[in-house]
Amino acid sequence: MIEHIRHAVGQGDLDPDFVHKLAKRICKEFQEMKLARPGDTELADLESGIEALLLAADSGHGARLTKSLQKLREDEGANPPSH
């Protein structure tokens, strides 16, 4: 599931802010799982998936910000401020 969500963020299909909040919630649950299952080697794969999800959410958020800034600059170029 984490990989599907990460892929959807990368494609721009999911809101990065929503995914980042979801990933933080998953991290919280994961920390509780690690406490309940110390030494469980299978948790390493899950942890790397969670980290990839957080990176995808951050990248998606950055891409949205970049697009917004580009649009703002285009709009300003088309309508220069009058002094």
Side-chain angles (χ1 to χ4, degrees), residues 1 9 12 16 23 27 30 32 34 36 40 45-46 51 60-61 64 69 71:
M1 178 179 80
V9 171
C27 284
F30 178 71
E32 291 176 15
K34 280 176 46 176
D40 189 337
D45 289 338
L46 182 56
E51 289 173 5
H61 185 66
R64 280 178 110 190
L69 288 172
K71 176 138 179 59

Side-chain angles (χ1 to χ4, degrees), residues 9-67:
V9 171
Q11 297 296 313
D13 295 334
L14 291 175
D15 176 18
D17 292 329
F18 165 75
V19 175
H20 198 270
K21 288 176 186 175
L22 177 63
K24 287 181 108 178
R25 175 63 185 191
I26 291 171
C27 284
K28 181 181 176 188
E29 296 290 330
F30 178 71
Q31 294 304 319
E32 291 176 15
M33 188 185 311
K34 280 176 46 176
L35 290 173
R37 297 168 45 186
D40 189 337
T41 57
E42 292 179 12
L43 296 179
D45 289 338
L46 182 56
E47 187 168 27
S48 65
I50 292 168
E51 289 173 5
L53 179 60
L54 284 168
L55 286 173
D58 289 343
S59 294
H61 185 66
R64 280 178 110 190
L65 181 58
T66 300
K67 286 179 186 176

